[in-house]
Structure formats: structure tokens, C-alpha cells
Amino acid sequence: MGAITYDMEVDSSIPAAKMYKAFVLDADNLIPKILPQAIKCVEILEGDGGVGTVKLTTFGEGSQYKSVKHRVDALDKDSMTYSYSIIEGDALMGVLESISYHVKVVPSADGGSVCKNRSIYHTKGDAQITEEQIKGGKEKAMGMFKAVEAYLLAHPDAY
């Protein structure tokens, strides 16, 4: 099994605590509401939402994938970090064992925030994943982040 790591940072004018609450803690409710074409719903299959919880994400009509199962690996509200792994589903494209995501939201000097995201693609055997496939995932993640930011800017009293 090989691993390909990809790091991404996105700046936002939204304060870190507010962005973390919306983008991480309430994402299962907020993202299907504001991006139903991307994510139709998220349901807990086992657990209480904390570490070890397994969730089923069903993608919307606009997605090329149907669904994925992911497991919460770490959640620390104080340090505003969140780690989870996609462990099953068609988004693994038959060549990936899993994809691990590590998200950290940090305050920026201007009162906004920076969302730092590390994605680790764990390939099956000697399978390869292309830069195009990684780029597609990065663009979707950026789009979701920017949609949450736009929602928070339009609804300043939310969260």
C-alpha cells in the first residue's frame, strides 16, 4: 500500500471558532442544506458523533459518486482539529484503500481564519492515483469551504 499526501490551506474572513463550528461540528446538517447537489444527507450508522463514529454520506444529483462511509478518527474542539477517514464507497474508485483527512482551523492575524487540510490517499497494492483525481477532490473541498464561508457571511448571526 502506498500513500500520497496533499496539503491545502484556505483563508477566510470568518473567525476561526465560528468557521470550525459550521464547517466541522455542524457540517452534517449545514452542507446538505446549502449544497444539496453535492451532498444529499449524512447519517450516523454507529456511534454518538465522537471518535469512532461511522457515518454514511449520500451524495447529491450533481456528484459522480453515490456514497461513502467515513469514520471519525479524532475530534478536538479546543484545538479546532478534526480527523476522519473514508473507509468505504465508490469515491475510493477501486484503487484506494482509504482516504484520511486532517483538518485544523486556526485564527489569522486579521481576525479571520485559515483552514489547513491534509489529505492522505492510501492506495491498494501498487495502484496509482492521478494528479487529476487529487485535483478534483481538492476543488470539491475548496468549493464546500467557500460555500460555508458564503453562508456565514450572508447569515452573520448563525453559529
Side-chain angles (χ1 to χ4, degrees), residues 14-21 80 105-108 111-114:
I14 304 296
K18 187 177 217 177
M19 181 56 81
Y20 182 78
K21 188 170 184 186
M80 292 189 283
V105 181
V106 297
S108 57
S113 58
V114 179

Side-chain angles (χ1 to χ4, degrees), residues 9-62:
E9 289 190 7
V10 186
D11 296 321
S12 174
S13 60
I14 304 296
K18 187 177 217 177
M19 181 56 81
Y20 182 78
K21 188 170 184 186
F23 188 64
V24 173
L25 299 180
D26 197 41
D28 296 351
N29 298 312
L30 181 61
I31 293 176
K33 183 167 110 176
I34 62 175
L35 286 172
Q37 71 280 15
I39 294 182
K40 183 177 177 181
C41 65
V42 180
E43 55 189 296
I44 292 178
L45 298 178
E46 56 186 77
D48 60 4
V51 174
T53 295
V54 175
K55 299 178 183 184
L56 175 67
T57 299
T58 302
F59 295 107
E61 305 274 327

Side-chain angles (χ1 to χ4, degrees), residues 43-121:
E43 55 189 296
I44 292 178
L45 298 178
E46 56 186 77
D48 60 4
V51 174
T53 295
V54 175
K55 299 178 183 184
L56 175 67
T57 299
T58 302
F59 295 107
E61 305 274 327
S63 176
Q64 68 194 81
Y65 304 117
K66 289 177 68 173
S67 64
V68 294
K69 280 186 186 176
H70 78 267
R71 179 188 62 239
V72 177
D73 297 322
L75 180 65
D76 186 331
K77 296 175 188 175
D78 294 330
S79 65
M80 292 189 283
T81 59
Y82 177 53
S83 297
Y84 66 98
S85 297
I86 294 177
I87 55 173
E88 196 177 299
D90 55 352
L92 296 175
M93 302 172 283
V95 297
L96 296 169
E97 194 69 44
S98 64
I99 307 170
S100 300
Y101 297 95
H102 305 280
V103 178
K104 182 173 180 72
V105 181
V106 297
S108 57
D110 63 3
S113 58
V114 179
C115 181
K116 299 179 178 193
N117 185 351
R118 169 167 280 181
S119 306
I120 305 169
Y121 298 81

Side-chain angles (χ1 to χ4, degrees), residues 123-153:
T123 58
K124 289 181 177 179
D126 57 358
Q128 300 291 315
I129 185 167
T130 67
E131 188 68 34
E132 275 305 303
Q133 291 167 311
I134 291 173
K135 186 179 175 193
K138 173 192 151 196
E139 288 170 358
K140 286 182 178 83
M142 177 81 77
M144 277 195 259
F145 184 84
K146 288 301 182 183
V148 170
E149 179 184 53
Y151 176 84
L152 293 173
L153 289 170

